[in-house]
Amino acid sequence: MVDGKTASTYHLRVALFLGLIGVISWNDHGLAAATPSCKPPSFPPQTQLCSNGLSGYVNKRVLISKLLDTCQIVATDIAPKGDITYDKEVSAVRDFATFCATPGNCSDSATNDLRIKLGQVEGDLRSFAGGRAISIGTNKVKITYSTSVENFLQSSPDASDAMCVAVNDGGVSPPPKPPESSNTGAFAIRKNITDLPVNRDDPKFKGLDKGSISVNDDYVNTKLGVNVDIAAGYTFAPVVLGQSSQVSFTPFAYYHEQYVASKKASEDQQIYNIAAGFLSTWELTNLGIFQFAPKYVHAIQADGDIESANLYYTPPITVAGIGTAAKVPFTNGLVYYRFAPLLQVTYGDVSRASTKISPLSQGSFGWLGPNLSLYLYGAGPLEGFSYISSFVYLTDFAGQRIRVARYENSLNYSLSSDDTWSLQLKYVYGPDLDTLQQQKMLTLGLGLKY
Amino acid sequence: MPFTDTSAVEKVVYNVVINWLADQQNASDQEIQNNLDWTLSGTPPNGYNMQPQAYTKMCNEISTQIQKTLGRAVNLGVPWRNKHKNDSVNAFIAAVTIEIVNAKLTNIGKGAVTWSMAKQQAHIT
């Protein structure tokens, strides 16, 4: 129970805390930007020779333009009327005589010099297409795989048919390595243990559910609620099995706290569970993904102990909307979704029971059932928002007769560009899946992933 | 014998990958081409959020299609797949191209090269 003076001080601290979150959110995102309706093609930008700095695809428009600049050929030399285009530049380089014989092309005063300069440009292009490094500005670039200059110029200016490699003084450096995938050991913080193997450098990281720390203040009932839901683990590099399968191992620990203060201290809801275990993730081609997690849970306040073996099975469904994210119909590309069905099987033993973790009593238990999640992602003006809804329904197949139904929904807004922190509005209804202690709360707080 | 005309290889790979993604997403080729910077595993609006099983299926199917078209063995094994599963579509196409250029010929491909060289030799003599 919180008294008047303490409550006002507490309320002030909560207001300052939420205000700070608001400032962080504003600074990181500012006003939501509108997405242009005509999104440009995803080829190298107009002013950049190579799509990734000194590597990636060659922007042929920029290459031709810069080579012409190098030979001091201005646009009006080729197109005196000012109607210069990429096609005209290419035509002038490939066949000067025919191009300049066409009325309206090539300025009269520059014709002889122009012929010599265009010949130099054509020579440079031939060298470049053939595999020699050339200097463009302060950079040296080289095509990784040679082709003919005719092929190079005939294909579309936006075609990605040549690539750049940075050239050092001492020789040719290889293309930059792509970002390391999640196949090296890494420490992680998540909400669900099944997400621990996904590395934070993995682009999939942004879509994962977050560990949460939240505080809820119910002004009507003057209740204080605190909820902490966080898992941490270290994933070792995966071991390859055969042609297409692999397995990875992740020792983990997690902490779950829920405290809701009631009008009577004896009716306070208190859940303090700490757990540790070992997760193995088996990706087997055409069979799906099997995740085994034996674990030990200690209910601190309830003074109970539970050991269990858990299996999470993801079937090999690859259609859009399950295997990949898909657009939600009729949202004009503003919202995407992905549905994630799992089968969960748990078999365990309550080695030390407590009345505070009823209905579980001492002895074994086994239950199985679907664990279904729906992920929604915002795009355009909704970018940064995500919504995760999960439903678990487990029925007993051994031991104690128990049915479990749990709903959990969270609306998230990223506070950082790498999605490490987010503002999270979460609603939970149903029993804790370890100790079956009842939970029902709406919280506003911070989500964290690392 | 490695390929020398990588632009032709890359065009094949580009078309196969774009077609596969368009079929997977029930989208047009143009829509996929507009999003070549999307990553395979990232979340929308910057990625396809491709799950491991879908990614494996993609690698298997594009390998088969490319092998039929080019007559070269294409082996995208687990270490290679792990290395490239977070790539953008652009980078993935480039990586597959590099892998193919260094790949060995299938028996059909070897037969074609042998036949071609024999024809050339017969022409010279």
Side-chain angles (χ1 to χ4, degrees):
Chain A
M1 178 71 170
V2 180
D3 65 36
K5 186 174 179 181
T6 309
S8 61
T9 304
Y10 170 75
H11 292 168
L12 176 62
R13 290 204 300 271
V14 170
L16 286 172
F17 169 77
L18 292 175
L20 179 62
I21 298 301
V23 168
I24 293 171
S25 172
W26 178 269
N27 284 340
D28 205 283
H29 286 278
L31 290 170
T35 301
S37 55
C38 296
K39 189 174 175 182
S42 296
F43 283 104
Q46 290 297 316
T47 58
Q48 198 166 306
L49 176 64
C50 305
S51 58
N52 293 324
L54 290 178
S55 63
Y57 291 106
V58 171
N59 184 326
K60 289 194 280 191
R61 296 178 195 272
V62 173
L63 177 65
I64 302 292
S65 174
K66 286 186 179 290
L67 287 174
L68 292 173
D69 285 345
T70 303
C71 289
Q72 295 170 334
I73 300 171
V74 298
T76 49
D77 289 340
I78 296 174
K81 294 178 186 174
D83 54 343
I84 189 69
T85 62
Y86 172 80
D87 287 341
K88 286 195 174 184
E89 290 175 340
V90 166
S91 297
V93 169
R94 288 175 64 194
D95 188 350
F96 167 81
T98 305
F99 178 79
C100 286
T102 306
N105 291 342
C106 303
S107 70
D108 294 334
S109 61
T111 303
N112 286 332
D113 270 347
L114 187 59
R115 179 166 39 112
I116 294 169
K117 290 175 184 175
L118 284 172
Q120 288 174 321
V121 170
E122 200 264 353
D124 285 340
L125 273 176
R126 195 170 290 279
S127 294
F128 179 77
R132 283 196 177 174
I134 59 171
S135 296
I136 303 288
T138 55
N139 299 324
K140 278 187 183 179
V141 291
K142 177 182 182 296
I143 274 190
T144 308
Y145 302 105
S146 61
T147 183
S148 66
V149 70
E150 288 75 22
N151 279 345
F152 185 71
L153 292 177
Q154 274 174 6
S155 56
S156 164
D158 295 317
S160 51
D161 57 1
M163 290 182 283
C164 296
V165 172
V167 178
N168 295 326
D169 287 338
V172 176
S173 57
K177 279 182 169 183
E180 284 295 325
S181 64
S182 52
N183 63 342
T184 55
F187 173 74
I189 292 176
R190 304 281 184 275
K191 176 184 180 295
N192 300 315
I193 59 172
T194 50
D195 292 336
L196 287 169
V198 181
N199 193 289
R200 64 180 274 109
D201 295 327
D202 188 328
K204 209 186 313 177
F205 170 82
K206 282 196 175 185
L208 301 180
D209 205 354
K210 301 168 178 63
S212 62
I213 304 167
S214 58
V215 176
N216 178 50
D217 194 18
D218 183 337
Y219 289 91
V220 174
N221 296 310
T222 318
K223 286 184 189 176
L224 168 67
V226 177
N227 185 70
V228 179
D229 211 350
I230 203 154
Y234 186 89
T235 300
F236 295 93
V239 175
V240 176
L241 306 170
Q243 195 65 11
S244 303
S245 302
Q246 59 182 350
V247 60
S248 62
F249 300 97
T250 309
F252 66 86
Y254 69 78
Y255 178 65
H256 173 212
E257 173 181 325
Q258 179 183 311
Y259 172 74
V260 180
S262 298
K263 289 183 181 176
K264 292 182 185 176
S266 60
E267 292 176 2
D268 290 350
Q269 294 177 35
Q270 298 181 71
I271 299 175
Y272 304 95
N273 296 338
I274 189 164
F278 190 83
L279 173 71
S280 62
T281 302
W282 301 74
E283 294 180 26
L284 304 176
T285 308
N286 298 326
L287 295 178
I289 300 175
F290 297 82
Q291 293 178 291
F292 295 101
K295 66 180 180 185
Y296 162 74
V297 178
H298 176 60
I300 301 171
Q301 200 273 341
D303 198 25
D305 294 309
I306 303 164
E307 298 83 30
S308 64
N310 304 271
L311 166 66
Y312 307 92
Y313 170 63
T314 305
I317 303 173
T318 58
V319 297
I322 298 178
T324 55
K327 286 184 190 175
V328 174
F330 310 113
T331 62
N332 200 29
L334 287 179
V335 183
Y336 290 78
Y337 78 96
R338 190 176 67 81
F339 184 58
L342 287 181
L343 172 66
Q344 179 175 341
V345 182
T346 297
Y347 186 80
D349 180 68
V350 181
S351 55
R352 185 161 61 160
S354 162
T355 54
K356 293 179 182 172
I357 59 171
S358 61
L360 277 179
S361 55
Q362 196 144 351
S364 64
F365 61 91
W367 54 58
L368 64 88
N371 181 330
L372 310 173
S373 298
L374 174 67
Y375 297 83
L376 298 178
Y377 307 102
L382 299 178
E383 187 170 352
F385 284 98
S386 62
Y387 174 78
I388 303 173
S389 178
S390 67
F391 171 63
V392 180
Y393 184 75
L394 304 174
T395 58
D396 57 275
F397 66 86
Q400 306 174 41
R401 297 194 65 83
I402 292 165
R403 295 262 164 96
V404 175
R406 176 184 169 93
Y407 300 89
E408 192 166 327
N409 302 276
S410 67
L411 177 64
N412 306 278
Y413 181 69
S414 289
L415 298 175
S416 57
S417 55
D418 62 357
D419 205 37
T420 300
W421 292 96
S422 66
L423 195 60
Q424 187 176 71
L425 179 67
K426 187 156 85 169
Y427 174 71
V428 175
Y429 179 81
D432 173 83
L433 293 178
D434 289 323
T435 60
L436 300 191
Q437 291 163 289
Q438 275 295 326
Q439 291 184 275
K440 181 182 176 184
M441 58 191 313
L442 175 67
T443 60
L444 175 66
L446 285 178
L448 165 67
K449 309 186 275 207
Y450 180 80
Chain B
M1 181 174 82
F3 261 108
T4 53
D5 189 359
T6 57
S7 60
V9 173
E10 193 171 356
K11 282 173 187 169
V12 169
V13 174
Y14 180 89
N15 287 330
V16 168
V17 172
I18 296 299
N19 287 339
W20 192 94
L21 285 171
D23 286 344
Q24 168 70 18
Q25 298 299 108
N26 297 318
S28 65
D29 285 4
Q30 187 60 51
E31 201 173 333
I32 306 299
Q33 287 169 347
N34 288 343
N35 294 327
L36 289 176
D37 56 345
W38 276 32
T39 59
L40 296 175
S41 58
T43 55
N46 300 308
Y48 290 100
N49 204 209
M50 192 175 289
Q51 299 303 297
Q53 302 290 302
Y55 177 65
T56 299
K57 182 186 174 196
M58 180 178 80
C59 290
N60 288 343
E61 292 185 354
I62 67 169
S63 298
T64 304
Q65 183 60 41
I66 292 168
Q67 188 163 326
K68 280 182 191 170
T69 307
L70 295 176
R72 303 189 74 87
V74 181
N75 180 23
L76 305 177
V78 170
W80 186 95
R81 295 179 188 193
N82 283 340
K83 194 175 173 184
H84 294 286
K85 65 184 179 183
N86 304 327
D87 283 359
S88 66
V89 176
N90 252 342
F92 182 79
I93 290 170
V96 174
T97 301
I98 292 170
E99 196 67 17
I100 292 168
V101 166
N102 294 326
K104 297 175 185 174
L105 287 167
T106 59
N107 288 335
I108 294 173
K110 285 176 187 169
V113 169
T114 305
W115 175 86
S116 170
M117 290 174 70
K119 280 286 185 184
Q120 278 190 322
Q121 188 61 37
H123 178 74
I124 291 167
T125 55

